[in-house]
Amino acid sequence: MLIIATSAGVVFQLGFPHWASAPAAAAAAAGGRKRKAAPPLLGARWRRVVIDEAHSIRNRATRAAAACRELDAPLRWCVTATPLINKADDVGALLEFLRCAPVDDPAIFRRAIARPLRSGDETALARLRLVLGELTLRRAKRCLGAALPPRRVEVHTGALGAAARDDYLCVLRALRAIVDGLSGGERAG
């Protein structure tokens, strides 16, 4: 199982140095062009992919959303408290990741739900509610009440292998550079 956390967008957008230097795949049959090997996450077959904070892929045009859609997995989950933030297309991007035919096709989703909904069409709202009702599991804290167990935090530490450590340090340096750029070079801690 692959769980992609909130930082997925940053990880997919930054990439890792060894992805760029991976040996080229065999020349394509037509044209003899060489292609770079797929990044490790995209090259693997996963049983299940869970996108945590899935609203982060609500814009289908981002590289993070495109990379998540390309993951090879028959079982796909989205975890988010806010599937719809600004517009119905936010939900459309999640349905595209989930591969929920026929509304996973952006053209069909826009034609059947998004456009009519912008015009105030009650039928489109009913369609959206029907789709979300069938696909979502919604549990509010106030509904669960005392059924929730007390919060328990466990911290597990482990040693990273050399390749994983290199990847971690690469992402850490890149994120620090971004934070330093945003904060004018001042970083707490």
Side-chain angles (χ1 to χ4, degrees):
M1 173 169 40
L2 173 64
I3 298 177
I4 299 178
T6 311
S7 58
V10 175
V11 172
F12 280 120
Q13 289 175 7
L14 293 175
F16 299 120
H18 70 272
W19 290 359
S21 63
R33 291 176 294 187
K34 292 184 177 180
R35 297 181 305 172
K36 290 181 182 175
L41 291 178
L42 295 179
R45 172 132 173 95
W46 302 95
R47 181 168 184 256
R48 177 182 301 123
V49 173
V50 179
I51 306 291
D52 189 18
E53 302 294 340
H55 55 271
S56 65
I57 63 166
R58 73 183 182 275
N59 181 349
R60 68 173 307 282
T62 64
R63 289 190 289 179
C68 287
R69 286 191 308 268
E70 284 186 40
L71 290 166
D72 184 10
L75 303 173
R76 295 160 170 262
W77 294 2
C78 288
V79 178
T80 181
T82 51
L84 194 149
I85 295 178
N86 294 320
K87 55 188 185 264
D89 289 321
D90 296 348
V91 176
L94 300 181
L95 296 172
E96 188 176 359
F97 165 75
L98 293 170
R99 297 181 179 165
C100 296
V103 289
D104 61 339
D105 180 330
I108 292 174
F109 184 83
R110 278 192 296 272
R111 186 177 67 243
I113 296 175
R115 272 192 221 122
L117 196 56
R118 276 186 289 239
S119 305
D121 185 333
E122 291 293 323
T123 304
L125 181 59
R127 285 185 194 125
L128 181 60
R129 285 183 174 153
L130 177 68
V131 169
L132 289 177
E134 291 298 317
L135 296 175
T136 59
L137 174 63
R138 188 168 184 273
R139 299 290 182 257
K141 265 188 182 178
R142 68 183 181 333
C143 295
L144 297 174
L148 288 173
R151 181 177 174 188
R152 189 173 97 191
V153 177
E154 292 183 29
V155 177
H156 300 270
T157 57
L160 295 174
R165 179 117 181 107
D166 289 345
D167 289 346
Y168 169 80
L169 291 174
C170 174
V171 171
L172 180 64
R173 282 191 296 272
L175 291 175
R176 281 187 175 159
I178 290 169
V179 169
D180 287 348
L182 294 174
S183 64
E186 300 173 17
R187 184 172 11 129

